[in-house]
């Protein structure tokens, strides 16, 4: 059974700084990985699929990388609207989400 | 405009039943893969069930035998029938569109809260 682990659990970042979020799979998921953003009281929003392809309408400051078991979501210059919880999800098998990383204002 | 609107949540006693609905506008439910994903209070996301365009259904082990996903093509609506509810089923339930044969979710509703408690 695959386990998806996100780190850190909480990331404190100043507006304008870069944020780097990690997602690790316990076995290879190839490039079958998506990232979502969720703000309080809202549904998740798809950011990245195929490990590195931005979804429609997602700003270029969001980028994804990695394959196999190690993945990274980078937000190049944090804007106020980017403070949220981020989830990774593998879809190499039945969908499975990581535990999330909360990006908070430093 | 694309919209997914879930209804049917509420407070239900353990062992009870509830049916959730997801009314979709802006695309056709029957030609897409559609899923339910849930989120327990303060917790992460958990995939619950999927219905394929051909009608095949699959479930997470945690709900297998208790939940049934279905759709009404004439109403462009997705359903989740939940029976034998347990406290651990307490969550916000989202309906979501699966992006083709890749199991990521490109459109989401706002969710409906189900609380299982005596």
């Amino acid at each position: 059974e695959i386990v998806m682990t996100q780190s850190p659990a909480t990331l404190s970042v100043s507006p304008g700084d870069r944020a780097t979020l990690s997602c690790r799979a316990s076995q290879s998921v190839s490039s079958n990985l998506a990232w979502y953003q969720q703000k309080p009281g809202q549904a998740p929003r798809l950011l990245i699929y195929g490990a590195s392809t931005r979804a429609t309408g997602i700003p270029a400051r969001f980028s994804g990388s990695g394959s196999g078991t190690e993945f990274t979501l980078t937000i190049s210059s944090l804007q106020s609207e980017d403070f949220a919880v981020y989830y990774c999800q593998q879809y190499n098998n039945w969908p499975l989400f990581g535990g999330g990383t909360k990006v908070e204002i430093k | 405009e694309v919209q997914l609107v879930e209804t049917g949540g509420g407070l239900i006693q353990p062992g009870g039943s509830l049916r959730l609905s997801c009314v979709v506008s802006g695309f056709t439910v029957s030609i897409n893969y559609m899923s339910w994903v849930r989120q327990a209070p303060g917790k992460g996301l958990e995939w619950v069930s999927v219905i394929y365009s051909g009608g095949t259904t699959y479930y997470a082990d945690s709900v297998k035998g208790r939940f049934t996903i279905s759709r009404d093509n004439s109403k462009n609506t997705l359903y989740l029938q939940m029976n034998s509810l347990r406290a651990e089923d307490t969550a916000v339930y989202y309906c979501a569109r699966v992006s083709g044969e890749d199991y990521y979710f490109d459109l989401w509703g706002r969710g409906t809260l189900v609380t299982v408690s005596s």
Side-chain angles (χ1 to χ4, degrees):
Chain A
E1 179 181 321
I2 296 176
V3 176
M4 304 298 294
T5 303
Q6 290 187 243
S7 62
T10 304
L11 186 61
S12 298
V13 186
S14 300
D17 285 355
R18 173 187 294 257
T20 302
L21 289 66
S22 294
C23 175
R24 174 177 293 178
S26 60
Q27 60 187 265
S28 177
V29 297
S30 187
S31 294
N32 296 316
L33 187 107
W35 290 94
Y36 302 85
Q37 176 193 68
Q38 187 178 34
K39 297 179 181 179
Q42 296 186 18
R45 177 175 71 143
L46 176 68
L47 298 176
I48 301 284
Y49 61 91
S52 61
T53 302
R54 277 189 303 277
T56 302
I58 301 304
R61 65 180 181 273
F62 291 91
S63 63
S65 63
S67 66
T69 62
E70 300 283 345
F71 301 88
T72 300
L73 175 70
T74 301
I75 312 170
S76 60
S77 177
L78 269 157
Q79 307 298 303
S80 58
E81 62 266 30
D82 300 335
F83 292 96
V85 179
Y86 293 83
Y87 294 96
C88 62
Q89 177 231 325
Q90 70 81 24
Y91 52 94
N92 199 55
N93 303 98
W94 294 114
L96 181 65
F97 295 87
T101 291
K102 181 180 181 180
V103 177
E104 64 176 23
I105 300 174
K106 187 174 183 179
Chain B
E1 181 190 8
V2 173
Q3 267 195 314
L4 299 81
V5 180
E6 303 93 334
T7 58
L11 176 63
I12 187 77
Q13 291 190 338
S17 297
L18 211 55
R19 188 178 81 156
L20 307 183
S21 300
C22 173
V23 177
V24 173
S25 55
F27 68 91
T28 303
V29 166
S30 64
I31 63 172
N32 283 276
Y33 293 6
M34 297 293 297
S35 259
W36 290 94
V37 177
R38 68 184 180 182
Q39 185 171 35
K43 301 297 184 182
L45 299 161
E46 179 189 18
W47 171 75
V48 172
S49 181
V50 65
I51 183 166
Y52 289 173
S53 52
T56 302
T57 59
Y58 293 98
Y59 301 90
D61 288 343
S62 57
V63 306
K64 199 172 295 182
R66 300 187 299 123
F67 289 12
T68 303
I69 190 172
S70 64
R71 67 187 182 217
D72 184 329
N73 297 343
S74 67
K75 296 181 178 178
N76 211 35
T77 298
L78 180 73
Y79 300 102
L80 186 68
Q81 177 68 43
M82 303 185 296
N83 299 331
S84 302
L85 282 161
R86 307 166 180 168
E88 55 264 36
D89 296 319
T90 294
V92 174
Y93 285 74
Y94 298 100
C95 70
R97 187 176 75 174
V98 179
S99 181
E101 294 187 1
D102 286 334
Y103 264 82
Y104 61 88
F105 308 101
D106 60 355
L107 293 171
W108 296 69
R110 297 185 66 121
T112 187
L113 175 62
V114 173
T115 304
V116 184
S117 174
S118 55

